Amino acid sequence: MEMGLARASSSEVVVYSEPPPPTESKSLFKPKVRTPADIVRNTRDLLRILQNGSVNKRDNDKMIELFKNLREMKTILYGNSEAEPVPEACSQLTQEFFNENTFRLLVECLPKLNLEARKDATQVVANLQRQQVQSKLIASDYLEKNMDLMDILISSYENPEMALHYGAMLRECIRHQIVAKYVLESPHMKKFFNYIQIPNFDIAADAAATFKELMTRHKSTVAEFLSNNYQWFFEEYNSKLLESSNYITRRQAVKLLGDMLLDRSNAAVMARYVSSRENLRILMNLMRESSKSIQIEAFHVFKLFAANQKKPPDIIGILVTNRNKLLRLLGDLKIDKEDEQFEADKAQVMKEIAALEPRE
Amino acid sequence: MASNIAERVQYPLDSSSYKIIDEIGAGNSAVVYKAICVPINSTPVAIKSIDFERSRPDLDDVRREAKTLSLLSHPNILKAHCSFTVDRRLWVVMPFMAGGSLQSIISHSFQNGLTEQSIAVILIDTLNALSYLHGQGHLHRDIKSGNILVDSNGLVKLADFGVSASIYESNNAVGACSSYSSSSSNSSSSLMFTDFAGTPYWMAPEVIHSHNGYSFKADIWSFGITALELAHGRPPLSHLPPSKSMMLNITKRFRFSDFDKYIYKGHSGGSNKFSKAFKDMVASCLNQDPTKRPSAEKLLKHSFFKNCKGPEFLVKNVLNGLPSVEKRYKEIKVTMGEDSKGNDDDDGDDEDSVVNVKQRRISGWNFNEDGLKLEPVFPKDQCREDHDVVKQVRFEEENEIQEEEDVASSGTVIETNLGASDVSGVVKNREATLATLSVLKGSLEQELGQVKFLMSLIGGNGEENHVAESEEISKLRMELETERKKNLQLELQLENIKLHLISSTLNTPTS
């Protein structure tokens, strides 16, 4: 009771009992008990051994100890069914973890761990991204100086065995704006267009989730990225994603496109996008798909072309030429459940198209 | 070290490598096939084919399920070999479990339930899976015999993670210890979920009242219901035919004693049928208070599981002589139509009973430990039939469970009533949610109906009164409006007159 940590008699396992009263935090840890910092230090030592040489049978105990440490760190950070995490302990662990290069060691050694240890390590890394020490996200500071770690994480989408672990870590790391910016501006960005379509569904879906996070989380960073990289980005986006032969790729891409263009911070990009007749052609084709989900999502982008008050003549030309078909298509387009906003949008778009006059 | 993972066989990621043999299960948005993987020695596999177009708009859940399946590794958990898209469908390739689901087994050959020895073998493996899952921070959220599969060697595996959730990765769960500020305030919620998933019959009370949040212990409740299901051949209450009269019978004048007989017709199983250990084990799972239910790990140490037999026991006593999964599925498909007809016939005499009263109201559960039955607690039956209006509007706030007969037959197609669930790999996520929502909707509609009924009793015809009243109100409003206008006009006139008066008084001297 007098301390937050109690040591199990025979094993090395540290079990949390109750959170310590805040006033006694100085007497929190008795010297003989393994503190969170001790566990991190021990983990680091074991990872170094693992990294430096091949692990033989004699070292098996060390591996078991390493796995146990990772499990303990997870319990400290997340708590368990009996106890909530103790902020003091979380903070101590975080500080020690980023004090030295534990993160790098863990990332580099991850393939050498077994499945359970990999999962524990991933969850530890994920949690550490959100831990504050003296109201600072020290993970962000660490990553700023170690951006090359992102290269390892991103490339893992090419390795089916590691992709889901590294992918989960990556998604947590790009919560930091500075990391997201790095990834967006890195050459890796182009690879996502392929990762999203990896045949292995769970990996492709993970890459898609990361891509979506990159393109939506940090508004101003994304807006800046899109205006600086407009040309190649949307060329790739259109040809590889919106016109992909893969149904799920098209569906996710058109949904994400809507999310991006409808975001206020991307207004300039949106204006540019809806002035292109090539883009309009692609969206009109998507609206003709037999998949209702894709049709509806495509409509949410198409409406921006129609609503644009500064429509270029060629856009108007296309809309006028296809007026009857468009009006019929839109008239038939219905959502299963009632959606006033959708109906209102649709009516507005139809009105807009019906009123169009070809310009000379 | 990593070799144990690397040696896993890589299943091909294209549909042409698989040859579909037979359909072995189906749900709203998924079909399950038995197939062989041609390039890998024609190994039999089960393929769950999920229709993206019919699954919910948000694909995150599908992604989460695929990820969960890929990252779990336990002998008692059915994992996926691989998954890939085939046009608008997701194919999840899994090991083929020749015995099928226990739901299918009991509905085919053990309609009065399995022996305790068999139950123990099944449940201990299920618990091992649950204990692993919970240790991993996952909730299964849909434990039932339809999701427990057996292979030809009698090995039991828990399947279907369509509605599972992880406390480590979810927007619904509050990330534990995310920062200092969150340390204590949300302490009780950090390992909780508040959304709604599962299949109604098996749902724990706190899941139905999901605003309270629920946790691992909800799986334990469902586990307890599953134990009852295996013991009786069906989950409690599932056998009520979807007929209006039956519903009325239950809401109005059913007695608990009759209820027993009704549910388990022809299986009036005396209270001595089950061992004390089994009753005690089930009772502990079905505690109304989630915190008093044991954890999976603790349950494993229960005396019921002492001297538990191995998988070969199941092969000998349960699987032996059982038709193949495909065959059973076909049989059920054929008899499906007849079944529903038969149920309709139960309607009997109460033909004129209130139309569209679809659900019975149950205000809680009594677990009868002796008979090992879960009995519904209805709102207190103090009134005679001639007063039953009063009774109907007695709403109990706590521990209400409302179920709708239609849920069983339509919502979860391959569930109990139709008994068609051969392979549980089918996604019932959407159906389950839909079913639950329709239960809630039905219940709300019923309450509305009852309130209206009561109002009509008190104040003549409430409905018409209401209409009349609102008409009256709008009429009065219009009158008020015209009065206002008149008033305004009068005021203007008055002003005019005043002006006139002033000007005339001013003008008088000069003229």
Side-chain angles (χ1 to χ4, degrees):
Chain A
M1 174 60 225
E2 83 273 50
M3 24 165 241
L5 296 172
R7 186 174 176 178
S9 51
S10 60
S11 75
E12 294 258 312
V13 182
V14 177
V15 182
Y16 276 85
S17 51
E18 292 179 71
T23 47
E24 292 176 32
S25 55
K26 273 187 182 166
S27 61
L28 187 56
F29 307 109
K30 285 193 173 173
K32 278 187 182 173
V33 175
R34 279 213 315 170
T35 65
D38 290 338
I39 297 171
V40 175
R41 275 190 287 270
N42 182 237
T43 304
R44 196 158 52 219
D45 293 343
L46 292 165
L47 286 169
R48 283 200 181 110
I49 294 170
L50 185 61
Q51 193 188 35
N52 289 336
S54 57
V55 182
N56 53 40
K57 273 184 188 157
R58 213 184 46 221
D59 290 329
N60 203 26
D61 289 349
K62 293 213 165 93
M63 290 299 278
I64 290 168
E65 198 181 344
L66 174 62
F67 296 167
K68 215 164 65 186
N69 282 350
L70 289 168
R71 181 60 55 94
E72 269 178 49
M73 284 160 67
K74 186 175 101 172
T75 309
I76 292 170
L77 293 169
Y78 287 92
N80 58 25
S81 54
E82 272 94 53
E84 288 293 313
V86 184
E88 183 72 22
C90 293
S91 160
Q92 213 191 92
L93 192 154
T94 310
Q95 205 153 15
E96 184 59 38
F97 192 91
F98 291 110
N99 219 358
E100 280 185 55
N101 236 344
T102 325
F103 198 164
R104 179 176 298 275
L105 277 167
L106 195 54
V107 166
E108 288 175 356
C109 291
L110 202 67
K112 296 184 178 175
L113 308 180
N114 70 12
L115 178 68
E116 296 307 319
R118 285 177 190 173
K119 285 190 280 185
D120 289 341
T122 303
Q123 283 159 357
V124 166
V125 166
N127 186 292
L128 286 173
Q129 304 310 313
R130 310 169 191 205
Q131 290 290 343
Q132 296 185 10
V133 176
Q134 283 149 11
S135 63
K136 271 195 82 177
L137 285 167
I138 57 174
S140 180
D141 297 345
Y142 173 85
L143 289 175
E144 196 179 345
K145 295 182 200 106
N146 293 274
M147 285 299 190
D148 60 305
L149 284 174
M150 294 305 114
D151 304 343
I152 301 179
L153 299 186
I154 297 168
S155 309
S156 79
Y157 281 122
E158 287 155 36
N159 174 1
E161 202 175 309
M162 298 310 298
L164 292 182
H165 305 289
Y166 282 138
M169 283 188 188
L170 176 62
R171 249 190 326 285
E172 292 299 325
C173 291
I174 57 173
R175 293 168 71 94
H176 306 299
Q177 184 269 342
I178 196 145
V179 179
K181 190 174 160 68
Y182 170 84
V183 176
L184 281 169
E185 288 166 0
S186 74
H188 299 298
M189 212 39 211
K190 286 194 170 133
K191 297 186 192 160
F192 273 98
F193 294 94
N194 299 325
Y195 293 158
I196 287 172
Q197 306 195 62
I198 286 173
N200 223 322
F201 175 75
D202 40 8
I203 299 173
D206 194 278
T210 306
F211 185 68
K212 183 182 169 192
E213 182 83 357
L214 278 170
M215 298 315 303
T216 50
R217 188 172 187 95
H218 303 284
K219 306 287 181 201
S220 58
T221 311
V222 172
E224 193 193 332
F225 165 77
L226 286 176
S227 25
N228 293 341
N229 297 273
Y230 184 93
Q231 202 63 37
W232 75 261
F233 182 84
F234 283 108
E235 261 172 41
E236 293 279 293
Y237 204 97
N238 286 351
S239 63
K240 288 212 170 131
L241 305 185
L242 293 179
E243 295 191 303
S244 163
S245 60
N246 185 323
Y247 160 87
I248 202 70
T249 303
R250 290 197 306 281
R251 182 169 152 186
Q252 284 179 314
V254 68
K255 167 90 171 70
L256 177 60
L257 179 65
D259 290 348
M260 289 192 299
L261 297 183
L262 282 161
D263 197 303
R264 200 176 287 263
S265 57
N266 293 329
V269 172
M270 190 265 274
R272 197 167 161 190
Y273 192 87
V274 301
S275 302
S276 150
R277 108 193 225 148
E278 172 62 8
N279 293 345
L280 177 62
R281 182 189 65 77
I282 291 170
L283 266 302
M284 279 168 68
N285 280 337
L286 285 169
M287 276 213 303
R288 279 176 38 213
E289 286 224 12
S290 56
S291 155
K292 187 92 162 270
S293 318
I294 291 180
Q295 278 191 309
I296 302 285
E297 293 303 337
F299 168 76
H300 286 301
V301 180
F302 172 79
K303 70 185 181 191
L304 300 172
F305 288 88
N308 180 12
Q309 291 309 307
K310 294 175 189 158
K311 285 190 260 309
D314 55 345
I315 296 278
I316 296 178
I318 294 176
L319 292 177
V320 170
T321 314
N322 296 284
R323 176 167 15 217
N324 290 342
K325 279 187 203 162
L326 278 170
L327 290 177
R328 198 174 339 125
L329 191 144
L330 290 170
D332 293 342
L333 193 59
K334 295 225 164 56
I335 296 189
D336 294 337
K337 57 178 195 290
E338 258 179 60
D339 184 337
E340 278 180 29
Q341 188 58 47
F342 174 76
E343 290 301 328
D345 285 358
K346 202 176 86 176
Q348 181 66 33
V349 168
M350 289 174 76
K351 206 175 115 195
E352 194 79 42
I353 291 173
L356 280 178
E357 299 283 346
R359 274 185 214 165
E360 297 309 320
Chain B
M1 260 298 142
S3 60
N4 52 349
I5 299 159
E7 72 194 27
R8 197 178 64 193
V9 187
Q10 180 57 53
Y11 277 72
L13 298 167
D14 62 299
S15 58
S16 61
S17 298
Y18 300 87
K19 197 174 149 212
I20 288 175
I21 310 270
D22 239 323
E23 185 178 317
I24 52 174
N28 247 355
S29 59
V31 183
V32 183
Y33 302 102
K34 181 188 180 181
I36 51 170
C37 179
V38 183
I40 305 186
N41 309 321
S42 294
T43 311
V45 292
I47 297 175
K48 173 163 136 185
S49 171
I50 303 165
D51 187 346
F52 276 128
E53 197 64 20
R54 300 183 73 171
S55 64
R56 80 198 81 195
D58 191 355
L59 297 168
D60 277 357
D61 299 289
V62 184
R63 176 180 70 85
R64 202 166 290 130
E65 183 187 2
K67 186 181 167 180
T68 304
L69 275 173
S70 319
L71 293 181
L72 292 174
S73 173
H74 188 274
N76 297 118
I77 286 178
L78 184 72
K79 67 174 293 163
H81 290 313
C82 65
S83 54
F84 52 91
T85 58
V86 182
D87 193 29
R88 291 187 194 176
R89 294 184 157 265
L90 174 67
W91 276 24
V92 183
V93 181
M94 295 173 287
F96 177 67
M97 301 290 282
S101 81
L102 276 151
Q103 197 276 328
S104 144
I105 293 173
I106 53 178
S107 70
H108 186 276
S109 307
F110 300 91
Q111 292 179 7
N112 292 331
L114 293 161
T115 64
E116 277 194 29
Q117 279 179 309
S118 301
I119 293 172
V121 180
I122 296 156
L123 290 185
I124 199 168
D125 279 354
T126 310
L127 272 181
N128 277 321
L130 259 188
S131 169
Y132 170 81
L133 264 186
H134 289 177
Q136 295 275 316
H138 286 285
L139 283 78
H140 185 280
R141 307 210 287 187
D142 204 10
I143 303 281
K144 57 185 179 185
S145 75
N147 283 337
I148 302 171
L149 310 183
V150 196
D151 73 6
S152 53
N153 300 317
L155 186 64
V156 172
K157 285 180 196 274
L158 186 59
D160 203 341
F161 294 81
V163 288
S164 73
S166 164
I167 61 160
Y168 298 113
E169 192 207 346
S170 170
N171 299 326
N172 306 315
V174 182
C177 194
S178 51
S179 67
Y180 276 119
S181 55
S182 70
S183 58
S184 62
S185 56
N186 51 27
S187 58
S188 62
S189 64
S190 62
L191 297 173
M192 295 278 196
F193 288 90
T194 51
D195 60 344
F196 219 70
T199 310
Y201 290 129
W202 287 262
M203 262 185 208
E206 73 272 18
V207 177
I208 292 166
H209 298 268
S210 63
H211 54 274
N212 296 326
Y214 60 100
S215 189
F216 301 118
K217 295 299 177 65
D219 277 348
I220 300 295
W221 170 282
S222 308
F223 175 82
I225 298 286
T226 305
L228 286 181
E229 189 190 0
L230 296 176
H232 290 297
R234 60 191 75 100
L237 301 176
S238 67
H239 214 241
L240 297 171
S243 79
K244 301 157 202 158
S245 67
M246 177 63 80
M247 246 53 74
L248 272 184
N249 278 342
I250 291 168
T251 28
K252 282 187 179 169
R253 51 183 126 83
F254 231 58
R255 308 261 168 220
F256 300 152
S257 49
D258 303 328
F259 194 79
D260 254 4
K261 263 186 271 162
Y262 234 107
I263 302 178
Y264 301 117
K265 261 194 283 198
H267 180 241
S268 49
S271 53
N272 294 327
K273 192 191 165 202
F274 300 103
S275 72
K276 193 177 173 308
F278 185 51
K279 289 174 192 166
D280 178 75
M281 192 274 294
V282 176
S284 68
C285 297
L286 298 180
N287 198 312
Q288 284 286 333
D289 180 356
T291 60
K292 291 192 178 128
R293 291 173 214 151
S295 65
E297 199 152 4
K298 199 173 164 205
L299 268 176
L300 279 168
K301 295 183 190 117
H302 195 279
S303 62
F304 177 67
F305 297 109
K306 263 186 198 154
N307 308 316
C308 189
K309 308 268 192 230
E312 59 289 343
F313 185 85
L314 287 187
V315 176
K316 209 170 141 198
N317 294 283
V318 176
L319 299 180
N320 195 16
L322 204 68
S324 73
V325 174
E326 307 87 289
K327 222 169 175 181
R328 271 179 276 153
Y329 179 65
K330 272 190 200 114
E331 280 173 23
I332 278 151
K333 259 189 147 177
V334 170
T335 55
M336 235 154 68
E338 291 169 25
D339 268 5
S340 53
K341 264 186 208 161
N343 285 342
D344 277 348
D345 291 342
D346 284 359
D347 232 322
D349 44 357
D350 275 333
E351 232 24 281
D352 57 339
S353 52
V354 181
V355 186
N356 277 338
V357 177
K358 278 187 177 167
Q359 71 288 322
R360 53 218 138 92
R361 299 181 41 76
I362 297 164
S363 65
W365 294 108
N366 267 346
F367 181 63
N368 167 356
E369 209 178 313
D370 286 339
L372 205 69
K373 307 228 168 108
L374 202 65
E375 295 169 346
V377 179
F378 299 108
K380 286 229 165 40
D381 192 5
Q382 306 158 324
C383 312
R384 299 272 160 84
E385 275 170 67
D386 44 348
H387 290 127
D388 53 19
V389 173
V390 182
K391 198 202 98 195
Q392 279 192 349
V393 292
R394 181 184 300 277
F395 304 129
E396 295 195 6
E397 293 296 332
E398 285 185 7
N399 299 325
E400 248 173 51
I401 294 180
Q402 290 121 5
E403 293 189 30
E404 184 175 356
E405 282 303 324
D406 286 0
V407 167
S409 51
S410 68
T412 53
V413 183
I414 59 163
E415 295 307 331
T416 48
N417 278 15
L418 306 179
S421 169
D422 276 14
V423 163
S424 65
V426 182
V427 166
K428 297 178 206 88
N429 199 347
R430 184 156 169 265
E431 297 96 288
T433 316
L434 250 174
T436 326
L437 288 175
S438 70
V439 169
L440 280 179
K441 184 170 167 261
S443 153
L444 287 173
E445 275 167 3
Q446 194 203 20
E447 292 192 7
L448 181 70
Q450 285 167 335
V451 169
K452 277 187 181 156
F453 193 25
L454 189 69
M455 276 170 63
S456 74
L457 213 75
I458 294 166
N461 195 325
E463 181 76 22
E464 278 178 18
N465 268 1
H466 187 66
V467 172
E469 268 170 27
S470 58
E471 273 174 7
E472 186 72 13
I473 287 170
S474 57
K475 224 160 80 188
L476 286 172
R477 277 218 183 99
M478 275 164 69
E479 274 175 31
L480 183 69
E481 202 52 39
T482 38
E483 286 302 318
R484 275 207 186 118
K485 275 182 191 157
K486 271 188 199 163
N487 194 25
L488 193 72
Q489 272 169 358
L490 285 174
E491 271 174 20
L492 282 171
Q493 271 178 14
L494 191 69
E495 286 303 307
N496 263 341
I497 292 168
K498 269 184 194 162
L499 276 173
H500 204 72
L501 209 69
I502 292 167
S503 61
S504 59
T505 43
L506 284 175
N507 288 342
T508 314
T510 46
S511 65

